[in-house]
Amino acid sequence: MRKIFQLYFAFFLLFNCGELIPNPDDNAQNIKREEPKIERTNDFAIVIHGGAGTIKKENMSAEKEAEYKAKLEEAIRVGHAILKNGGSSLDAVEKTINIMEDSPLFNAGKGAVFTNAGTNELDASIMDGKTLNSGASAGTKTVKNPINLARRIMDDSPHVMMAGDGADSYAKEQGLEIVSPEYFFTEGRLKSLERAKDREKVEMDHDDNQKAAFYDADIKDSKYGTVGCVALDKSGNLAAGTSTGGMTNKRFGRVGDTPIIGAGTYANNATCAVSGTGWGEYFIRGTVAYDISAMMEYKGSTLEEASVEVIQKKLTNLGGTGGIIAVDKNGNMMMEFNTAGMYRATMDDKGELNIEIYSKKQ
Ligand code: ASP
């Protein structure tokens, strides 16, 4: 009897198991496979900065604050309109930066700071996240809008970067707007240079009282006034651009992070677009913009995690000051800095505008 039962049980298993244990292939046929949907926070988005630094509320008049905010708004609206109408992120970045370059408020184009030799030497770069093409110019003295030159170098030359006289003459050859070096003269920037030179003298003389007075004056200078823009367009293409006069009293010939792809500017459709502002030497040593993208690419970090890690830990531990703006491939926006303030604004696909100057801690 026991044998019969065992035999029966063996047959039962043989013929029924197929039904009891689901076959993964059968299942695969029954379930309709759907491509995983990438939830985009924004279909398109734009972020700008007008420099980071010792921007203190108590040192800012209501009129000046309103002036900065109005210019940031004017600039970001230009780029936003381009994106809304289906234009490219590269065009949005370039045209937005042009508005800030033409304003004396920012340390880029018209408002560029002076070198120790009393000259204005401008740097800029732009990057296309779709192709990883990029263009950069360093130390130009006659190009009204250096971001346009960076774009032209990217689009129409076999090179990525041009510097000095060669870059100026390429701009002229290409029919870009050329100005005399005096165009970049502004009284305010000259005063900043004089203050920086006095400070340098005092530091060398070790006179503590005077030193304190000059540091006070320094606080009134916002220090870094570079402009930058990052954008995501409706086609999912990212772009980043940055333009600057560099740092007040920099040695003539000095080149900062702004025209260095990976340091001050980076864009990659697989990750994000980043533009930086701050003490350029540290941004170069920390390859700040690329580092944020690399954390997302290799470690799977979110834009927020990568930005906080790179600015608040890596850059800060290195002794660097400044910040970044960024947008990722899904339209998430970031503005991260370790200074008292950063002129900045965001605008999303619903047209919601956010303009800020000071750090939340102020
Ligand atoms: N990063 C720029 C430079 O070092 C300065 C700035 O951001 O204002 O040239």
Side-chain angles (χ1 to χ4, degrees):
M1 184 66 190
R2 218 167 120 211
K3 263 237 161 83
I4 292 172
F5 182 75
Q6 278 173 342
L7 255 173
Y8 174 80
F9 190 65
F11 273 111
F12 175 83
L13 277 181
L14 200 67
F15 292 110
N16 291 301
C17 252
E19 313 250 306
L20 290 177
I21 301 166
N23 179 342
D25 284 342
D26 291 350
N27 238 3
Q29 280 164 5
N30 294 336
I31 296 170
K32 239 176 122 198
R33 274 182 195 277
E34 270 184 34
E35 283 300 311
K37 260 202 192 130
I38 298 161
E39 284 298 333
R40 275 208 193 177
T41 310
N42 282 295
D43 219 25
F44 64 95
I46 182 165
V47 191
I48 61 172
H49 71 73
T54 332
I55 310 164
K56 295 235 167 129
K57 212 174 181 150
E58 70 243 32
N59 296 324
M60 180 84 81
S61 69
E63 299 81 61
K64 255 281 173 281
E65 191 178 305
E67 229 182 304
Y68 273 109
K69 285 188 167 172
K71 200 40 96 174
L72 288 169
E73 179 169 350
E74 182 190 339
I76 201 164
R77 283 196 183 280
V78 166
H80 189 269
I82 292 172
L83 298 171
K84 196 174 171 191
N85 292 330
S88 74
S89 51
L90 278 171
D91 285 346
V93 163
E94 185 181 2
K95 300 285 182 271
T96 299
I97 288 180
N98 283 162
I99 303 289
M100 293 189 281
E101 282 179 333
D102 290 344
S103 162
L105 287 175
F106 305 102
N107 169 21
K110 174 71 187 150
V113 298
F114 285 101
T115 68
N116 67 341
T119 52
N120 305 98
E121 300 180 5
L122 289 76
D123 301 335
S125 69
I126 194 162
M127 184 157 185
D128 178 358
K130 183 183 176 189
T131 57
L132 302 188
N133 280 342
S134 50
S137 63
T140 57
K141 292 182 179 147
T142 61
V143 183
K144 181 168 175 269
N145 294 104
I147 196 71
N148 299 358
L149 173 57
R151 174 94 189 252
R152 199 56 76 89
I153 290 169
M154 174 174 81
D155 288 345
D156 296 329
S157 90
H159 308 300
V160 166
M161 185 189 247
M162 292 191 199
D165 292 347
D168 276 305
S169 86
Y170 182 73
K172 194 169 173 194
E173 224 173 83
Q174 290 288 312
L176 297 182
E177 195 168 348
I178 301 299
V179 290
S180 84
E182 290 75 52
Y183 166 79
F184 300 107
F185 176 88
T186 55
E187 197 63 43
R189 297 301 186 199
L190 188 67
K191 289 239 160 68
S192 296
L193 175 66
E194 284 162 2
R195 272 199 297 269
K197 287 198 162 196
D198 286 340
R199 214 158 36 233
E200 212 170 49
K201 248 191 276 153
V202 171
E203 273 166 32
M204 281 193 272
D205 293 348
H206 295 294
D207 176 337
D208 282 346
N209 283 338
Q210 271 200 62
K211 223 185 205 177
F214 284 117
Y215 278 131
D216 268 359
D218 191 29
I219 285 169
K220 290 189 183 90
D221 292 337
S222 68
K223 221 166 181 181
Y224 316 119
T226 292
V227 305
C229 178
V230 294
L232 170 73
D233 63 29
K234 286 182 179 174
S235 311
N237 292 321
L238 289 164
T242 317
S243 182
T244 191
M247 286 172 78
T248 302
N249 202 27
K250 68 182 179 183
R251 195 187 153 81
F252 74 99
R254 174 265 193 188
V255 174
D257 60 312
T258 300
I260 311 290
I261 296 300
T265 304
Y266 192 74
N268 185 339
N269 274 7
T271 54
C272 62
V274 183
S275 167
T277 171
W279 197 334
E281 277 70 9
Y282 290 91
F283 276 65
I284 295 174
R285 290 165 56 204
T287 41
V288 164
Y290 176 71
D291 206 19
I292 291 172
S293 168
M295 277 192 69
M296 294 178 72
E297 187 173 356
Y298 298 127
K299 208 178 164 190
S301 306
T302 63
L303 178 66
E304 185 176 357
E305 287 163 354
S307 305
V308 171
E309 172 85 22
V310 171
I311 297 301
Q312 306 302 350
K313 292 193 188 151
K314 294 181 87 174
L315 180 74
T316 305
N317 292 344
L318 205 58
T321 46
I324 57 97
I325 50 161
V327 60
D328 72 13
K329 60 180 179 179
N330 296 324
N332 297 303
M333 300 178 280
M334 256 327 266
M335 303 184 287
E336 194 64 33
F337 52 98
N338 66 2
T339 47
M342 181 166 83
Y343 300 104
R344 60 200 189 277
T346 61
M347 214 168 165
D348 65 14
D349 61 358
K350 281 128 226 120
E352 197 172 308
L353 174 68
N354 165 39
I355 305 178
E356 282 177 80
I357 298 178
Y358 314 105
S359 104
K360 300 261 187 283
K361 289 172 211 143
Q362 272 196 67

